[in-house]
Amino acid sequence: MDVADLSTQVVRVLDLLGVAANVLLAGILAREQRFDLVGFIVLGVASGLGGGLLRDTLLQVGTPVALTDVAYLVTAIGVALFAYLVRTSGRWWLRGVRLIDAVALGTWGAVGAQRALDAGLHWLPAILLGTLTAVGGGMIRDLLVRRTPIVFGGNTLYATCATAAAAVVVLLDRLTPQGWAGATTLVAAAVGAALCLLAYRQGWRLPEA
Amino acid sequence: MDVADLSTQVVRVLDLLGVAANVLLAGILAREQRFDLVGFIVLGVASGLGGGLLRDTLLQVGTPVALTDVAYLVTAIGVALFAYLVRTSGRWWLRGVRLIDAVALGTWGAVGAQRALDAGLHWLPAILLGTLTAVGGGMIRDLLVRRTPIVFGGNTLYATCATAAAAVVVLLDRLTPQGWAGATTLVAAAVGAALCLLAYRQGWRLPEA
Amino acid sequence: MDVADLSTQVVRVLDLLGVAANVLLAGILAREQRFDLVGFIVLGVASGLGGGLLRDTLLQVGTPVALTDVAYLVTAIGVALFAYLVRTSGRWWLRGVRLIDAVALGTWGAVGAQRALDAGLHWLPAILLGTLTAVGGGMIRDLLVRRTPIVFGGNTLYATCATAAAAVVVLLDRLTPQGWAGATTLVAAAVGAALCLLAYRQGWRLPEA
C-alpha cells in the first residue's frame, strides 16, 4: 500500500469516526426527548450521514457514498443501538466525543471540498459544499428535534472550522501535484480540527449581528 | 396481462391509495392550522409524495417517479382540493383513513426497498430507503407544521412496520426467481400493513429510552 | 446578440436580483435572531438559492445551476455580508426589497417551469416545480428559524403568483415556436410579479379553510 492509498484509508476511518461521534451526540438528544429505538436510529442516521447525503445529492454524481459503502450505515445504526442501550455520561466521555466531533468537522469539511473539486466545481461552491458536509447533519438533527440550529450562532467557532478545512483543500489542490488528494485532505482536516478545539478551549465566537 | 404485470399494477394502485390517505391526514392538520388552499396543496403534496421524492432523489437514478408519472400529482392535488372543500370527520372516516395509511406504510416500505435493490444497493441501505420512503413524507409534514415527528416515538409501531415490509422484500428477493418482484412486494406490503394494524389495535409500542 | 440571447441574459439578471432580494429578507430575520456572520450566510444562501437547488436536485439533470454558475454564490454570500454589516431599515428600503421579491417570485416560477419542460416533464409537474422554485427557499428559511412557513397562509397571494407565472410558461410553450423560451419566461415573470404586487396592494388573500 503506497502513501496515496494509506492516506485515503486514514481519511475513511476519520470519516467513519465522525459518523460515530455525531450519532453519539444525537443519542444524548434522543435520550433527553425520550425517543424509542427507532427514534434513536432515525436521528442518529440523519445526524451522522445527513451532511454527506446532502453533499452527494447536490453534486449529482451518483448514489451517495453513505448508501453504497455499507460501512457508513453499519456504523451509524450500530452506534445508535449502543447509545440507546448504554446510558453514557460523565465529563471525560463528553470530552472524548467532542474531540472526535472536532476531528469530524475538519475531516468532513475537507472531504466535502475535495469531492466537489473532483466533480469539477469552482472553488467557491467547493468550500460551500465542504462546509455543508460538515454542518448539514447537525442542521437536520436540530430541525428534527426543533432546536434553532447551532450553526446560526451562540456557540464557539463551528462551521468556520469546516470552512477553514475546505479552504485549505482548495488552496493545496492548486499547489500540489495530482494524486496527493488523500494527504491534502488529512492536512486540511487537521487544520480544521485544531481550529475547532482551540476555539472551544479559548471560547472564540463570531460577533453577533 | 400476466401475473407479473398484474401485481405491478396492483402495487401502483396501492401506492396511489397511500398517497391519497396521507394527503387526507395532512388535510386534517391543515384545517387545524387554518391553512388556505395553497397550504392544503403544499402540505398534502409534501406528505403524500415526500417519501418517494426523498427515495428517488437519494437513489439518483433519474427524475423521481412522482414527477414523471403524472397520476401521483393528480391524486395528491385532487385529494388536497377535496380535503379543503369537504369537512370530513367521524370515527368511521378516520378509521378508514388509518386502514389505508397502514396499507400505505407497508406498500411504501416494500416498494422503496425493491427500488433500492433494483438500483444495485446492498440490503441494509435498501431497508433504510424502504423505511424512509414510508416515513419520509410524514416527517416532512411534521416539520412543516412544527410538530415533533411522530417517527421518533410516543405512538404505536409505525416506522417498524415499514422496516418489516422492507426486510421481507430483501429476504424474498434472495429466495425467489427474477420477475417475481411485483408479487414479492405485495406479500411484503401485506406483512407490514398487518403488523401496523395489529400494533394499533393492541397498543404495541417500542420502549422509550 | 439576438433577441433570444438577450432575453436569456435578462432572465439571468432577474434571477440573480431575486437571489439578492431573498438574501436581504433573510438578513432581516437573521438580525432579529442575533445570528453571527456564518448564520447570516447560511440563512441567506438557503433562502436565496434553496428553491433552485430543490428544483435542480429533484429534476436530476446534473449539478444544480447555483453550484455551477458561480455568480449565484457570489451574489448570495456578498449580499449576506452586506446585510450583516449594514443595518438597513426604513419604509422605502423595505418597499424596494418587496418589489424585487415580487419580481423574483414571478421569475422563479417561470424559470422553474421552463426548466422542467426542458427536462421533458408533463405540464402539471412543471407548474409544481415552478412554484417550488419560487417558494422553496422561503420555506427552508422559515423552517430554519422555526416559523410556520408563510406559504401556508395568513398573507396576501404569494405561491399563487409563482403558480400563475409557471402556468403562463406552460401555456405559451405550446403556442409559441421553439427558441422563444427566453421571451416566454419574461412575459410569464411579468404576469406573476404584477399579480403579486397587485395582491399586496389590494390585500388579496386566499380564504382559510
Side-chain angles (χ1 to χ4, degrees):
Chain A
M1 190 186 276
D2 61 9
V3 175
D5 282 356
L6 182 66
S7 51
T8 307
Q9 283 304 312
V10 172
V11 168
R12 181 161 175 272
V13 169
L14 292 178
D15 205 2
L16 288 169
L17 269 177
V19 172
N22 274 276
V23 175
L24 284 175
L25 289 171
I28 295 172
L29 278 174
R31 189 171 296 280
E32 278 174 20
Q33 311 247 343
R34 306 182 63 77
F35 288 171
D36 61 27
L37 176 57
V38 168
F40 271 71
I41 291 176
V42 172
L43 195 68
V45 167
S47 297
L49 306 182
L53 288 173
L54 267 180
R55 175 199 63 208
D56 290 347
T57 307
L58 287 173
L59 276 179
Q60 303 228 18
V61 289
T63 308
V65 177
L67 297 177
T68 52
D69 179 350
V70 81
Y72 286 87
L73 262 183
V74 169
T75 303
I77 294 176
V79 175
L81 193 63
F82 172 83
Y84 175 76
L85 293 174
V86 181
R87 183 186 296 268
T88 52
S89 63
R91 231 173 102 209
W92 287 100
W93 167 259
L94 200 63
R95 199 171 275 191
V97 174
R98 268 184 195 287
L99 175 65
I100 305 178
D101 187 39
V103 175
L105 268 178
T107 306
W108 287 356
V111 169
Q114 188 64 55
R115 249 180 234 283
L117 291 178
D118 290 348
L121 258 60
H122 184 270
W123 63 265
L124 186 60
I127 290 178
L128 178 82
L129 277 180
T131 308
L132 187 64
T133 305
V135 305
M139 281 177 72
I140 297 175
R141 175 198 66 210
D142 290 343
L143 278 180
L144 289 174
V145 298
R146 306 199 298 161
R147 295 199 308 181
T148 297
I150 59 171
V151 71
F152 287 135
N155 53 313
T156 59
L157 295 189
Y158 168 71
T160 311
C161 309
T163 307
V168 170
V169 161
V170 163
L171 258 177
L172 292 184
D173 183 71
R174 311 215 152 181
L175 302 176
T176 56
Q178 284 259 309
W180 282 43
T184 293
T185 306
L186 279 183
V187 170
V191 170
L195 179 60
C196 187
L197 291 172
L198 204 62
Y200 188 67
R201 173 174 284 269
Q202 303 285 335
W204 287 342
R205 290 156 187 267
L206 293 179
E208 284 170 5
Chain B
M1 189 186 277
D2 63 7
V3 176
D5 281 354
L6 182 67
S7 51
T8 307
Q9 283 304 312
V10 173
V11 168
R12 180 161 175 272
V13 168
L14 292 179
D15 205 1
L16 288 170
L17 269 177
V19 172
N22 273 275
V23 175
L24 285 175
L25 288 172
I28 296 173
L29 278 174
R31 188 171 298 281
E32 278 173 21
Q33 312 246 343
R34 306 182 63 77
F35 288 171
D36 60 27
L37 177 58
V38 169
F40 271 71
I41 292 176
V42 172
L43 195 67
V45 167
S47 296
L49 306 182
L53 288 173
L54 266 180
R55 174 199 66 209
D56 290 347
T57 307
L58 286 174
L59 276 179
Q60 304 227 17
V61 287
T63 308
V65 178
L67 297 177
T68 52
D69 179 350
V70 81
Y72 286 88
L73 262 183
V74 169
T75 303
I77 293 176
V79 175
L81 193 62
F82 172 83
Y84 176 76
L85 293 174
V86 182
R87 184 185 297 268
T88 52
S89 62
R91 232 173 100 208
W92 286 99
W93 168 259
L94 200 64
R95 200 172 275 190
V97 174
R98 268 183 196 288
L99 175 66
I100 305 178
D101 187 39
V103 175
L105 268 179
T107 306
W108 289 356
V111 170
Q114 189 63 55
R115 248 179 234 284
L117 291 177
D118 291 347
L121 257 59
H122 184 270
W123 63 265
L124 187 60
I127 291 179
L128 178 81
L129 277 179
T131 309
L132 188 64
T133 304
V135 304
M139 281 177 72
I140 297 174
R141 175 197 66 209
D142 290 343
L143 278 180
L144 289 174
V145 299
R146 306 201 300 162
R147 296 198 308 180
T148 297
I150 59 172
V151 70
F152 287 133
N155 53 313
T156 59
L157 294 190
Y158 169 72
T160 311
C161 310
T163 307
V168 170
V169 161
V170 163
L171 258 177
L172 292 184
D173 183 71
R174 312 215 152 183
L175 302 176
T176 56
Q178 284 260 309
W180 282 42
T184 293
T185 305
L186 279 183
V187 171
V191 170
L195 180 59
C196 187
L197 291 172
L198 205 63
Y200 187 67
R201 173 174 284 270
Q202 302 287 335
W204 288 342
R205 290 156 186 264
L206 293 179
E208 286 171 2
Chain C
M1 188 187 280
D2 62 6
V3 175
D5 281 355
L6 183 66
S7 51
T8 308
Q9 282 304 312
V10 173
V11 169
R12 181 161 174 272
V13 169
L14 291 179
D15 205 1
L16 288 169
L17 269 177
V19 172
N22 273 277
V23 175
L24 284 174
L25 289 171
I28 295 172
L29 279 175
R31 189 172 297 280
E32 279 173 20
Q33 310 245 345
R34 305 183 65 76
F35 287 172
D36 60 27
L37 176 58
V38 169
F40 271 72
I41 292 176
V42 171
L43 195 67
V45 167
S47 297
L49 307 182
L53 288 172
L54 267 180
R55 175 199 64 209
D56 291 346
T57 306
L58 287 173
L59 276 178
Q60 303 226 20
V61 288
T63 308
V65 178
L67 297 178
T68 53
D69 179 350
V70 80
Y72 286 87
L73 261 183
V74 168
T75 303
I77 295 176
V79 175
L81 194 62
F82 171 83
Y84 176 75
L85 293 174
V86 181
R87 184 185 297 269
T88 53
S89 62
R91 229 173 102 210
W92 287 100
W93 168 259
L94 200 63
R95 200 171 276 193
V97 174
R98 267 185 197 286
L99 175 65
I100 305 179
D101 188 39
V103 175
L105 269 178
T107 306
W108 289 356
V111 169
Q114 188 62 57
R115 248 180 236 284
L117 291 178
D118 291 346
L121 257 61
H122 184 271
W123 63 264
L124 187 60
I127 290 178
L128 177 82
L129 277 180
T131 308
L132 187 64
T133 304
V135 305
M139 281 177 73
I140 298 175
R141 175 198 66 209
D142 290 343
L143 278 181
L144 289 174
V145 299
R146 306 200 299 162
R147 297 198 306 182
T148 297
I150 58 172
V151 71
F152 287 133
N155 51 313
T156 59
L157 294 190
Y158 168 71
T160 311
C161 311
T163 307
V168 171
V169 161
V170 163
L171 259 177
L172 291 184
D173 183 71
R174 311 214 152 183
L175 302 177
T176 56
Q178 283 261 309
W180 282 42
T184 293
T185 305
L186 279 183
V187 171
V191 170
L195 178 60
C196 187
L197 290 172
L198 204 63
Y200 187 66
R201 174 174 284 268
Q202 304 286 336
W204 287 342
R205 290 155 187 266
L206 293 178
E208 285 170 4

